[in-house]
Amino acid sequence: MSWIPDSLRPVLHEQHGLLTRRQLYDAGVSTHQIRWALGRRWRLVHGSVVATTTGRLDPAQKLVAAQLFAGPGAQIGSTTAARYFGLTSVPEDGVRRLFVPWGAKSRERPGVSVRRTRRPDPHEWSRGPLAFTSPPRTVVDAARQLRGDAVRAVVFEAVQRRFVTVDQLASEVEAGAVRGSAAVRAAVQEVSGGAWSLPESELADLLASSSLLPTVLLNPVLTTIAGETLPSPDGFVDEVGLALQVHSRSHHFAEEDWEWTLRTDTALGTAGVPVMAFSPRTLRTDGRRVLRAVERAYLALRRATRPAVVARPRLVV
């Protein structure tokens, strides 16, 4: 026996087999009919959402259920939206986070967190029955939720993968609350200085501690004298034409990124640019040795002919 009116069939399909009690009532399904079906063919999710099957919900259904539970005007955001959009640096914690307008209620259920906001995102992204906060809002809210290096990692990944621009992040940080924004602001400032990943930022910090080395350019625009574009190294000591690379599969977000990194070293070497490469682990566990190696290379190259290349600081926007 089915209590689902034909008028609800398209909605049921769009919502992955889920309906709210209100949708059922508005379509003419009685309280008695709902009670009869619950436990036989249907089950309740979060107390107000009806799953029209008795099996476990898949990830897509869990997200739709959270959206329906949060109610009108709800937007999926923070780490939940970041993971949905494919940002791999955001850890999975099993909680679906949503925001509702200030007049609604904050609510908690196992695996779901609904928080009020005075700033509903006017630029939400709609995906079927789901509504997500915009990329800049998503990244900043996710970074606010995280701690330590994870804050920098999500900001760097979002910019590197061109999910957002630095200007968009800076504007969103300024528009939001000052409280809890210090780490996010610092990460945005770092990426605006040219760092595109946490290891690159750590390399920059390490080299800046040297009393010998000149300023190191991060991800500069590099060309030959003739104007041919060269790959951009992670760091570049412009005075002597020394390229510095941080190589790690875990910080290159696709196999193509890793292959590109290897081709970058080859292309720079072909252009006569010496390349020094390090792993993130070496930077963290033996930074002093890395720094000494770069300083020795710098002193040696001061006595050599500089490669015929032109480096310009990259404007990150």
Side-chain angles (χ1 to χ4, degrees), residues 82-101:
R83 288 192 301 270
Y84 181 89
F85 288 128
L87 296 182
T88 60
S89 58
V90 179
E92 170 62 66
D93 60 4
V95 178
R96 286 159 288 285
R97 292 183 168 82
L98 300 94
F99 299 97
V100 292

Side-chain angles (χ1 to χ4, degrees), residues 139-161:
V139 173
V140 171
D141 284 347
R144 286 177 179 272
Q145 183 70 35
L146 301 172
R147 296 291 182 271
D149 286 345
V151 176
R152 301 159 76 194
V154 68
V155 170
F156 292 151
E157 181 188 358
V159 174
Q160 184 184 37
R161 297 181 64 174

Side-chain angles (χ1 to χ4, degrees), residues 74-204:
Q75 297 174 329
I76 301 168
S78 188
T79 54
T80 306
R83 288 192 301 270
Y84 181 89
F85 288 128
L87 296 182
T88 60
S89 58
V90 179
E92 170 62 66
D93 60 4
V95 178
R96 286 159 288 285
R97 292 183 168 82
L98 300 94
F99 299 97
V100 292
W102 193 252
K105 294 181 179 179
S106 293
R107 293 185 285 173
E108 299 282 341
R109 287 292 188 278
V112 179
S113 173
V114 180
R115 292 292 184 216
R116 295 187 301 170
T117 177
R118 295 186 185 275
R119 296 179 54 243
D121 193 341
H123 307 294
E124 71 177 30
W125 283 21
S126 296
R127 296 293 186 272
L130 304 175
F132 295 89
T133 54
S134 62
R137 181 68 173 270
T138 291
V139 173
V140 171
D141 284 347
R144 286 177 179 272
Q145 183 70 35
L146 301 172
R147 296 291 182 271
D149 286 345
V151 176
R152 301 159 76 194
V154 68
V155 170
F156 292 151
E157 181 188 358
V159 174
Q160 184 184 37
R161 297 181 64 174
R162 294 178 174 82
F163 183 58
V164 293
T165 67
V166 174
D167 282 351
Q168 288 173 330
L169 290 180
S171 295
E172 178 58 38
V173 171
E174 290 303 319
V178 173
R179 183 177 181 181
S181 68
V184 187
R185 289 173 184 272
V188 173
Q189 289 175 353
E190 282 188 78
V191 77
S192 68
W196 283 3
S197 71
L198 184 56
E200 289 177 19
S201 180
E202 291 172 344
L203 175 64

Side-chain angles (χ1 to χ4, degrees), residues 241-276:
L242 172 63
L244 305 170
Q245 298 278 58
V246 184
H247 290 337
S248 169
R249 285 186 180 274
S250 64
H251 289 89
H252 293 82
F253 302 103
E255 185 67 23
E256 293 79 5
D257 295 334
W258 176 250
E259 293 296 335
W260 170 254
T261 297
L262 299 180
R263 290 196 297 271
T264 294
D265 288 359
T266 301
L268 291 173
T270 301
V273 177
V275 178
M276 298 184 71

Side-chain angles (χ1 to χ4, degrees), residues 190-306:
E190 282 188 78
V191 77
S192 68
W196 283 3
S197 71
L198 184 56
E200 289 177 19
S201 180
E202 291 172 344
L203 175 64
D205 290 343
L206 176 66
L207 299 178
S209 68
S210 172
S211 59
L212 175 64
L213 295 174
T215 300
V216 177
L217 302 178
L218 300 181
N219 294 289
V221 176
L222 209 61
T223 62
T224 64
I225 297 297
E228 178 186 356
T229 300
L230 294 171
S232 178
D234 296 332
F236 191 70
V237 186
D238 191 30
E239 182 183 327
V240 296
L242 172 63
L244 305 170
Q245 298 278 58
V246 184
H247 290 337
S248 169
R249 285 186 180 274
S250 64
H251 289 89
H252 293 82
F253 302 103
E255 185 67 23
E256 293 79 5
D257 295 334
W258 176 250
E259 293 296 335
W260 170 254
T261 297
L262 299 180
R263 290 196 297 271
T264 294
D265 288 359
T266 301
L268 291 173
T270 301
V273 177
V275 178
M276 298 184 71
F278 312 96
S279 71
R281 181 177 180 179
T282 301
L283 284 175
R284 292 176 178 174
T285 61
D286 206 357
R288 295 184 64 180
R289 183 172 65 84
V290 170
L291 183 59
R292 288 196 298 270
V294 174
E295 289 176 336
R296 287 196 298 270
Y298 166 71
L299 292 174
L301 290 171
R302 289 180 65 178
R303 298 189 294 270
T305 301
R306 184 187 180 282

